[in-house]
Amino acid sequence: MAAVTAEALEGGFARPVFQTQAVFRVLMAALAEPARPLPLPVEAAPPAPLPPGLGAVALTLLDPDTPVWLDPALAASQPVRAWLAFHTGAPVAAEPMDAAFALVVDPLRLPPLAAFAQGTAEYPDRSTTLVIAVDRFDTDPSAPLLTGPGFEAPRRFRALPERAGFQDQWAANRALFPRGVDVVFVAGGLVAGLPRSTRLAPTE
Amino acid sequence: MMDVDVNEAGLPRVVVSDPAAGFTPLSNSPPQGGRGPVGGLGEGGSETADLDGALSPLEGESGSGGEPPREGALGAVLDDDATLPTYSFAYLDEQTKRMIRRAILKGIAIPGYQVPFASREMPMPYGWGTGGVQVTAAVIGPDDVLKVIDQGADDTTNAVAIRGFFQKTAGVATTTRTGEATVIQTRHRIPERTLEAHQILVYQVPIPEPLRYLEPRETETRKLHGLEEYGLMHVKLYEDIARHGHIATTFAYPVKVEGRYIMDPSPTPKFDNPKMHRSKALQLFGAGREKRIYAVPPHTDVVSLDFEDHPFRIQSFSQPCALCAAEGVYLDEVILDDRGGRMFVCSDTDHCEERRAAGHRGALSGEAL
Amino acid sequence: MYVAVKGGEQAIAAAHRLLAHTRRGDRQVPSLTLAQIAEQLSLAVDRVMAEGSLYDRDLAALAVKQARGDLIEAIFLLRAYRTTLPRFGFSHPVETATMRVRRRISATFKDLPGGQCLGPTFDYTHRLLDPLLAGDPDLPDPARRDETTGAMPRVTDLLNDEGLIEPDPAEADVPVGDLTREPLSFPADRDLRLQALARGDEGFLLALGYSTQRGYGRTHPFVGEIRLGEVEVEIDVPELGFSVAIGRITVTECQMVTQFKGSAKVPPAFTRGYGLVFGHQERKAMAMSLVDRALRAGELGEDRVAPAQDEEFVLSHADNVQSTGFVEHLKLPHYVDFQAELDLIRRMRAEIAALQEAAE
């Protein structure tokens, strides 16, 4: 067996059964009520440049059944690959299209959403879920107004700077519904979901 | 093609229990020497094979029920002389829970769409709530308070059995009070009390495909959903009207979710359909035998199918509950004798009890209750 | 005054106490040992292992005892245990060509290398109840075959050498599916179909196989060979870099030689139907091979017209743990839904009565 460094072995959950359950519940709430930042109850301690929040999501959702695509910044990091391999066993997907999950730490260089698996008309679930690290969440009046399932009333939310051009991509993703990708944003210790069902609210 | 679990000399390492914490075995497990399964699959080494851990309560993270839930390492733990394995917290192994959790997240992202999942064989029969049990097992944590109902009642035998299963395998707190529960698993009813934002309603679903009785082939119904081709369903409902003057579907009445997918609400009476519409609670649906999970997020449109000239109408009862005098609730008919004597009582037993505790009295309310 | 039925919990506990009591039967009669079940009801144990998908005689014997001899219940018990077991890996395909054969018959050749070997069979017994078996009669030792009789090549291999039968359609190096780990979707590949059939209900497969013989998807079957015996199970151990035998299991294999195919360009050759089952289960292996062949209709360019050829129908209903659960769930309370139906029927009857009254 390949030698495994101590760094790869450490930084997982100390109590995985309960910690993954707790993280899952927050992820479930985040996708059930999209665009509402929620605190992650626990973080992992993966090697940089994988942020702790992304590490926690990875430990919760990835396993040998889920090919994961790593953005170039992560893919270039041998310690990150070793850590993910040891703690999740998830095979690395060469192409975004083959990924069940995508981990992204450099969202400004995110491939087009359409490059990821979109599912099919009959099996729209066969799509990629992107987990994207961002700096912060904006919920101020300048942020886009979103609505859809899980919104009692429209909410303002922005995870990526406007120059990232995410808003147009998202509209295109929404237009594919029920196909399309789902996104989980992580900003520090906060997480917010953007399932494919979320759409821009009509402006008055 | 075949996978072989060769296992010499093993009598079941069937159960596990932590006597100190008051767990009881799921079945008889004669102590017997034998070679049990060898250590965990190395899921990232996250679960250690601690020889003592299996049979001793875990420190900390105590559930709200007061019993310490255990962090089981499935089959990964052997005791020197007992060779009894532990079951994981809430029975399912972690990889199974992850698989179910992923399916739940997809279901939430695509409201009303049936996500295939690798449903496991559970220690209860298919058709008796294995889908709901798997969903509950995948979401529940030590801080949850679980309520289980069948036909609206907490004390029906299958509800009792499922509640007991989670008490035994997860050590979670349970309740019969709708308002106190964080997770409610149900068969055939939605509680009368309006559900709240922090609550999760888990439905047991026998046949998740609303088009199944019109088209038995999954390969066909998948296509129909993909194309949003729901004419068959409207034709069927309209044929009812032509023949009977009514839509003859009284339960498992089809709904359209967020204007896209037609969904089976599980065999709840159509009386309960309006409760699904823009509910504050998250609604999860598990069909174990049929291997499907689907979901309705909170605040999501759930509209019962109907026609302009035959609008959807729920059942109404001509008399109030005989025990608590509630009106506008779903009632069970109870036959009192063989001379046509009958009474109508709340199907939601908790709702009825709360009303009676608050002093409401129905026509036949008795002291023994 | 009405007192609601309460105490489901006590009722369940009491029922299960009574079940244990009833299972034990007359306590003057000695309790069955698992060894007695495993040794003397070995075909019941085999069936439970096969349909339970878990090769463990002791556990299967326990399940038979716990289930009071109800084999579907025993299968269910074993499945529910199996599902909790961690998966360490996959074995290599078992090599039935090198089986230590206890029984081997071919209906297609009078004699063949290795010979015909009847083995422990009910065939040709006169089905007369044997009063001696009410006791424990002394038995003569069985005759033993000379171990040096020689190899027993498989009939299908012999036919294949001459090109008379289609090559084994199994694709090498394709990952083998597992319907206990992934939900089945249609169309299903043959590996998944065979897995479903190997776990499937013997009675269901028997009836479907029979239906093909009666013309519902006829395949002109000949029993190329049935063989029963022990095969080694080998798994790769990555740490060691080679595979190791982890044990030996008893299996029954049936290779059905069926309806030939050919065209102006492709010379005709027989086709195959395959059955492989844990333990000694000839009826199941034969039925499985008939149904496997019937399910290959699409692949072999035959019209799918009969139930046994309908993959979705067969695979969706072959599992007796699923079917017994859903059939038996009808005994759970359904009074909420029944009330909904009652309400509708009463309303419709009242409307008709009102109309009739108005007409009179």
Side-chain angles (χ1 to χ4, degrees), chain C residues 65-346:
Chain C
K65 182 176 183 179
Q66 187 173 329
R68 302 176 60 197
D70 176 339
L71 297 190
I72 291 182
E73 176 71 16
I75 289 160
F76 179 19
L77 287 169
L78 212 57
R79 289 264 192 99
Y81 176 64
R82 176 192 189 276
T83 196
T84 68
L85 297 174
R87 179 140 323 197
F88 303 126
F90 292 90
S91 76
H92 289 277
V94 293
E95 189 48 77
T96 53
T98 60
M99 174 189 281
R100 290 174 57 145
V101 171
R102 284 195 277 144
R103 168 169 166 78
R104 186 266 200 122
I105 52 165
S106 169
T108 49
F109 296 101
K110 181 171 184 182
D111 200 4
L112 66 171
Q116 307 256 15
C117 171
L118 281 180
T121 182
F122 291 124
D123 297 348
Y124 318 116
T125 60
H126 297 138
R127 266 65 170 198
L128 303 172
L129 283 171
D130 181 356
L132 287 180
L133 273 179
D136 186 8
D138 279 338
L139 296 176
D141 286 336
R144 293 194 180 276
R145 186 166 57 95
D146 185 356
E147 279 281 351
T148 61
T149 310
M152 284 191 179
R154 290 181 296 204
V155 167
T156 46
D157 294 346
L158 299 173
L159 288 170
N160 195 31
D161 290 344
E162 238 185 296
L164 292 174
I165 192 165
E166 60 170 340
D168 198 325
E171 288 175 70
D173 300 329
V174 175
V176 174
D178 181 350
L179 57 80
T180 69
R181 311 299 286 185
E182 300 148 38
L184 200 55
S185 60
F186 301 105
D189 289 339
R190 190 166 178 230
D191 52 345
L192 290 169
R193 297 200 307 252
L194 286 169
Q195 185 189 16
L197 298 180
R199 291 159 55 89
D201 183 73
E202 177 178 315
F204 180 73
L205 297 187
L206 180 65
L208 283 175
Y210 176 48
S211 72
T212 68
Q213 288 179 282
R214 290 196 64 259
Y216 289 84
R218 184 129 194 259
T219 61
H220 300 272
F222 296 95
V223 170
E225 180 173 356
I226 292 168
R227 54 173 59 199
L228 157 73
E230 280 66 45
V231 291
E232 302 251 295
V233 176
E234 290 188 12
I235 59 166
D236 276 330
V237 181
E239 286 83 350
L240 297 179
F242 52 86
S243 65
V244 294
I246 56 169
R248 190 176 286 154
I249 62 173
T250 302
V251 295
T252 308
E253 181 186 60
C254 175
Q255 300 231 44
M256 210 60 93
V257 177
T258 51
Q259 177 74 55
F260 59 81
K261 289 280 151 199
S263 64
K265 287 183 194 141
V266 183
F270 291 112
T271 57
R272 298 169 184 257
Y274 189 74
L276 182 72
V277 192
F278 283 163
H280 185 186
Q281 295 209 80
E282 220 157 289
R283 184 187 301 122
K284 168 74 177 281
M286 293 177 75
M288 176 176 170
S289 63
L290 289 173
V291 178
D292 169 51
R293 175 59 182 79
L295 289 175
R296 296 182 60 212
E299 162 197 346
L300 294 170
E302 296 160 350
D303 290 338
R304 291 175 188 262
V305 289
Q309 297 169 318
D310 184 333
E311 165 183 285
E312 190 168 340
F313 176 79
V314 173
L315 299 192
S316 300
H317 303 109
D319 189 297
N320 56 25
V321 177
Q322 289 175 8
S323 47
T324 199
F326 201 46
V327 167
E328 293 197 46
H329 109 287
L330 290 172
K331 64 193 169 190
L332 290 179
H334 282 80
Y335 50 76
V336 163
D337 293 344
F338 188 69
Q339 187 64 48
E341 296 281 89
L342 269 182
D343 175 71
L344 177 65
I345 287 185
R346 282 184 182 137

Side-chain angles (χ1 to χ4, degrees), chain B residues 74-123:
Chain B
L74 179 83
V77 187
L78 289 176
D79 189 75
D80 284 341
D81 47 22
T83 73
L84 300 178
T86 72
Y87 280 127
S88 287
F89 175 80
Y91 183 76
L92 296 177
D93 61 281
E94 291 307 298
Q95 186 159 354
T96 299
K97 285 185 204 163
R98 256 194 312 274
M99 175 269 296
I100 295 171
R101 287 168 183 166
R102 290 193 294 258
I104 291 171
L105 297 184
K106 292 283 193 203
I108 289 170
I110 318 168
Y113 165 72
Q114 302 162 53
V115 185
F117 82 112
S119 174
R120 298 294 194 247
E121 266 138 349
M122 300 298 287

Side-chain angles (χ1 to χ4, degrees), chain A residues 134-204:
Chain A
V134 297
D135 295 333
R136 62 198 171 93
F137 297 134
D138 291 329
T139 54
D140 58 77
S142 75
L145 196 58
L146 303 178
T147 189
F151 289 80
E152 185 164 21
R155 275 192 283 278
R156 293 198 178 274
F157 178 83
R158 183 192 296 117
L160 290 171
E162 224 154 305
R163 64 194 156 90
F166 188 77
Q167 198 166 315
D168 290 342
Q169 283 210 54
W170 190 254
N173 187 62
R174 180 62 183 76
L176 291 174
F177 189 87
R179 297 170 66 231
V181 300
D182 307 311
V183 181
V184 172
F185 289 109
V186 181
L190 292 176
V191 62
L194 208 59
R196 68 194 76 181
S197 58
T198 298
R199 59 186 184 270
L200 290 164
T203 43
E204 287 116 48

